[in-house]
Every structure is written in C-alpha cells, then in structure tokens.
Amino acid sequence: NAGVTQTPKFQVLKTGQSMTLQCAQDMNHEYMSWYRQDPGMGLRLIHYSVGAGITDQGEVPNGYNVSRSTTEDFPLRLLSAAPSQTSVYFCASSLSQGASGNTIYFGEGSWLTVV
Amino acid sequence: GDSVTQMEGPVTLSEEAFLTINCTYTATGYPSLFWYVQYPGEGLQLLLKATKADDKGSNKGFEATYRKETTSFHLEKGSVQVSDSAVYFCALSGPVGGATNKLIFGTGTLLAVQP
C-alpha cells in the first residue's frame, strides 16, 4: 500500500516556466488537497477536492491550477513559476470530507525552487 | 477566522527531559485538534488527535488534552529521546459533520533533543 505518492521530490524551475506536481493515492480517498509549507508560516492550503470532478480554492490559490479527473490523482499545476512559489509542497488525502474521525494522510513532499 | 498559535522554537532539551509545546486556537464551533510531526526530510505524520472537549490524545508517549475553557491543546512528553527531534505542528479542522476537513496549521515548533 503506497499511500500518498508525490513526484517529483525535488525540482528547480526558471521564472516563467510551467510544471505539474503529481499526486496519487491508492486508498480510494474522496478528499485530496495541496498545501505549501514556508518557514515561519506553517502549512497553507492551496486547493482541495472533495471528489472526482470537484475542486475548490484554499487559502493561497493564485498561480496554481488543479483538476481531479479521477479519484486517485490530483495534480497541481504551476502556470508561470515565480520565485515566490519556492516552497515545499505537500499533497494530502482522507477518506471523505467532514467528520473529524477521518485521518488525513500526507505525501513526503516536493521541494520546488524557482530561480 | 479560525487560527492556531503555537510556541516558537527551537526548543532544545536534553534526553529524558520533560517536554511541553504550547498550542492555543481560535475557532467557531467545536473543532477537532491534531498534532502532526515532521521528521527531517519527510512528510507530516499524524501524532495524535482529540475530537471533543476533555478528550486526551496519546501516542508514542506524547499526550495532549483538548481544553475548551482555555482553548488549548498543549503537547507533552515525560521523557524525550533524541529520536523525537522533529518539527511539531498543531492543527485544527472543522467539527464533526462539518462541510470540510481542511486543516489549519500552526507555524510549527522545532524540537532538538541532545544526548
């Protein structure tokens, strides 16, 4: 059971380039989300999805796109990378939305540097 | 809006010392409370959680009690080990039956345990 898998683990981009961070889970979870982690700011929610075909914005959505065509995959796209998007990105999933009994599982993170 | 405040680090302790990491929250309704741990180079792992007032979450010798009267969820361990060195995040999510289980994180507290 792989859990939540993120790729790539490390990436360096030039300003203006686009790229996609991949996230896949094999637990049949409905709820998936993307966070970014910055020093002194904890984790902040970028986008989330409550099921295939449904996405919504989190706290810091600007500069990012998501889609959820399947239950398993939730890619995060950087449209035109900026140095301010240098961060560590975490994908997370849980069985369903709501109900505090759902444990949220995190991927191992993707370290992105924009130069 | 909802928020989490936790003590700034780093916290440096000697092995077998007592650990307290303070966490307080602001939320409407009755959130669930969590402690996540992030070991160097890894993603976040759920350490413990509590879903209602006076609940005590515990795992691996760590404990935290949901105190509604003081809006706190302080993390404690009686005797820390070098292997406990990590970043600890306090977080809250919406109440049971709420529309979403988005997590709101504190800024994280780095714990360094010296032999």
Side-chain angles (χ1 to χ4, degrees), chain A residues 9 31 35 37 40-43 45 48 90 94 96-104 106-108 111, chain B residues 32 34 36 38 41-44 46 49 51 89 94-103 105-107:
Chain A
K9 194 168 178 98
Y31 186 93
Y35 291 84
Q37 180 183 23
M41 304 191 74
L43 279 77
L45 182 65
Y48 67 97
F90 288 98
S94 65
S96 65
Q97 64 173 341
S100 58
N102 288 312
T103 298
I104 298 176
F106 285 81
E108 294 187 343
W111 276 253
Chain B
S32 294
F34 305 83
Y36 279 83
Q38 183 181 28
E42 298 184 10
L44 279 74
L46 177 65
K49 67 179 181 182
T51 59
F89 291 92
V96 173
T100 178
N101 60 1
K102 291 182 286 186
L103 286 170
F105 286 89
T107 55

Side-chain angles (χ1 to χ4, degrees), chain B:
Chain B
D2 295 356
S3 65
V4 174
T5 303
Q6 61 182 108
M7 61 188 292
E8 294 202 16
V11 174
T12 303
L13 295 173
S14 297
E15 207 164 23
E16 299 183 3
F18 185 86
L19 169 70
T20 299
I21 300 178
N22 290 336
C23 172
T24 58
Y25 67 91
T26 301
T28 55
Y30 304 95
S32 294
L33 301 173
F34 305 83
W35 277 100
Y36 279 83
V37 59
Q38 183 181 28
Y39 298 103
E42 298 184 10
L44 279 74
Q45 303 173 28
L46 177 65
L47 180 59
L48 54 84
K49 67 179 181 182
T51 59
K52 61 183 187 295
D54 300 325
D55 267 2
K56 177 186 283 188
S58 62
N59 185 26
K60 299 182 181 179
F62 291 90
E63 292 182 340
T65 301
Y66 190 148
R67 301 285 188 202
K68 184 170 179 291
E69 64 275 13
T70 55
T71 61
S72 64
F73 193 55
H74 304 319
L75 182 68
E76 296 182 336
K77 187 174 185 182
S79 177
V80 294
Q81 306 299 313
V82 172
S83 57
D84 293 327
S85 298
V87 180
Y88 292 81
F89 291 92
C90 186
L92 65 82
S93 74
V96 173
T100 178
N101 60 1
K102 291 182 286 186
L103 286 170
I104 296 172
F105 286 89
T107 55
T109 302
L110 173 64
L111 170 65
V113 180
Q114 299 175 337

